[in-house]
């Protein structure tokens, strides 16, 4: 009984200590200008090795040069999990330093939503862009990310939480970053698009612990998830 009470007090104190630094429910991050030092670091919920995963996010940008959308690095591999928009027409996905690329039509005028799934056993990559499933590809079959990751939005890591290239920095708006340590089913991926996130156990935008550096602005997100695609 005493232990239980202690535990409750501990959790209450932990909650009080961190409650206003965590969670971005109905919020978005704005990276207003190109930089080499503005970024947002997302602290993962668990530090277990990552094998299967699903990563979803929404971005809005009219920048035509290559830019990073999501960068997860370990001490060994800087492009451990990386999403790059090479141009309006091309997105590259990296796992363990290897990559596959997708031809897409992205718009400078609208939010774009993406989900990437990766099955470590088969190496199969699934990619959904604005609700459309693109062809399955494969990379790094049998690979597992064992080292502690650093997850950065806004900058592309060429080191471990460092070595940012301003010419690959993100300029625009990002929100709703979610990550699971499993491959979501096609039905689950569809539901993500409309704001239903089935227990995200690596990154949960609504409760994520984060740090920001430089010129990064947090603003309320103005529209509901399922309204953004009704143009
Ligand atoms: C990854 O997914 C495959 C297929 O769904 C499953 O068999 C395997 O156990 C998963 N691996 C881990 C570590 O969860
Ligand atoms: Ca890199």
């Amino acid at each position: 009984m005493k232990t239980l009470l202690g535990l409750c007090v501990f959790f209450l104190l932990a909650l009080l200590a961190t409650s206003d630094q965590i969670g971005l429910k109905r919020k978005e991050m704005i990276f207003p200008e190109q930089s080499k030092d503005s970024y947002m670091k997302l602290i993962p919920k668990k530090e277990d090795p990552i094998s299967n995963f699903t990563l979803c996010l929404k971005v809005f940008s009219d920048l035509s040069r290559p830019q990073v959308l999501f960068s997860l690095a370990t001490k060994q591999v800087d492009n451990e999990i990386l999403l790059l928009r090479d141009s309006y027409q091309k997105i590259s996905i990296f796992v363990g330093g290897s990559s596959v690329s997708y031809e897409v039509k992205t718009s400078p005028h609208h939010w774009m939503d993406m989900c990437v799934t990766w099955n470590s056993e088969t190496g199969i990559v699934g990619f959904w862009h604005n609700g459309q499933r693109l062809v399955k590809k494969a990379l790094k079959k049998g690979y597992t990310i064992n080292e502690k990751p650093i997850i950065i939005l806004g900058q592309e890591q060429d080191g471990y939480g460092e070595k940012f290239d301003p010419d690959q920095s993100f300029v625009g708006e990002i929100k709703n970053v979610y990550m699971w340590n499993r491959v979501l089913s096609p039905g689950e991926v569809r539901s993500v698009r409309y704001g239903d996130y089935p227990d995200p156990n690596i990154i949960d935008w609504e409760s994520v612990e984060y740090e920001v550096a430089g010129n990064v602005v947090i603003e309320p997100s103005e529209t509901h998830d399922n309204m953004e695609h009704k143009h």
Side-chain angles (χ1 to χ4, degrees), residues 64-84:
S64 61
R65 67 154 167 79
Q67 61 177 332
V68 64
L69 305 178
F70 180 92
S71 170
L72 181 154
T74 57
K75 274 190 185 128
Q76 267 77 32
V77 187
D78 65 323
N79 298 339
E80 194 72 272
I81 299 176
L82 173 65
L83 242 62
L84 269 184

Side-chain angles (χ1 to χ4, degrees), residues 78-79 156-158:
D78 65 323
N79 298 339
E156 205 279 307
Q157 306 175 76
D158 279 339

Side-chain angles (χ1 to χ4, degrees), residues 38 45-46 55 61 68 80 163 176 225:
S38 297
K45 274 170 115 171
K46 45 163 79 191
L55 169 67
S61 172
V68 64
E80 194 72 272
K163 297 197 177 132
N176 295 11
D225 282 328

Side-chain angles (χ1 to χ4, degrees), residues 21-227:
Q21 277 88 7
I22 66 171
L24 289 159
K25 189 180 167 89
R26 298 215 181 85
K27 300 226 172 72
E28 62 174 66
M29 313 300 301
I30 304 168
F31 297 87
E33 58 186 9
Q34 167 160 333
S35 84
K36 62 172 173 31
D37 47 19
S38 297
Y39 65 88
M40 177 185 195
K41 189 192 262 190
L42 301 178
I43 316 297
K45 274 170 115 171
K46 45 163 79 191
E47 287 182 357
D48 302 347
I50 302 172
S51 40
N52 305 330
F53 74 82
T54 301
L55 169 67
C56 297
L57 50 84
K58 298 193 186 204
V59 300
F60 192 176
S61 172
D62 67 356
L63 201 62
S64 61
R65 67 154 167 79
Q67 61 177 332
V68 64
L69 305 178
F70 180 92
S71 170
L72 181 154
T74 57
K75 274 190 185 128
Q76 267 77 32
V77 187
D78 65 323
N79 298 339
E80 194 72 272
I81 299 176
L82 173 65
L83 242 62
L84 269 184
R85 182 162 82 163
D86 300 275
S87 67
Y88 288 137
Q89 282 85 32
K90 190 177 161 205
I91 288 180
S92 295
I93 297 163
F94 289 70
V95 176
S98 298
S99 69
V100 291
S101 292
Y102 282 93
E103 228 178 89
V104 290
K105 276 207 174 62
T106 67
S107 164
H109 307 300
H110 302 298
W111 280 96
M112 122 175 119
D113 64 69
M114 280 175 288
C115 284
V116 176
T117 64
W118 180 66
N119 183 321
S120 61
E121 237 173 52
T122 58
I124 295 294
V125 175
F127 184 48
W128 277 261
H129 179 260
N130 290 348
Q132 183 187 12
R133 183 174 79 74
L134 297 161
V135 67
K136 288 177 182 171
K137 300 193 178 189
L139 49 72
K140 297 301 271 189
K141 179 177 172 172
Y143 185 73
T144 298
I145 297 156
N146 287 306
E147 298 292 315
K148 186 179 150 99
I150 292 183
I151 301 172
I152 300 269
L153 299 181
Q155 298 288 342
E156 205 279 307
Q157 306 175 76
D158 279 339
Y160 186 53
E162 56 168 12
K163 297 197 177 132
F164 303 145
D165 175 4
D167 291 328
Q168 288 187 300
S169 66
F170 178 81
V171 182
E173 304 170 42
I174 299 191
K175 67 177 179 181
N176 295 11
V177 182
Y178 291 89
M179 194 169 177
W180 294 257
N181 70 349
R182 65 186 179 91
V183 174
L184 296 193
S185 71
E188 285 175 319
V189 170
R190 263 194 301 279
S191 72
V192 163
R193 188 147 194 254
Y194 297 103
D196 186 13
Y197 307 100
D199 191 23
N201 53 12
I202 301 180
I203 302 168
D204 181 346
W205 192 248
E206 294 188 5
S207 60
V208 69
E209 195 182 328
Y210 62 92
E211 298 163 23
V212 290
N215 190 4
V216 184
V217 181
I218 304 175
E219 288 238 310
S221 169
E222 77 283 11
T223 43
H224 294 299
D225 282 328
N226 54 1
M227 297 304 283

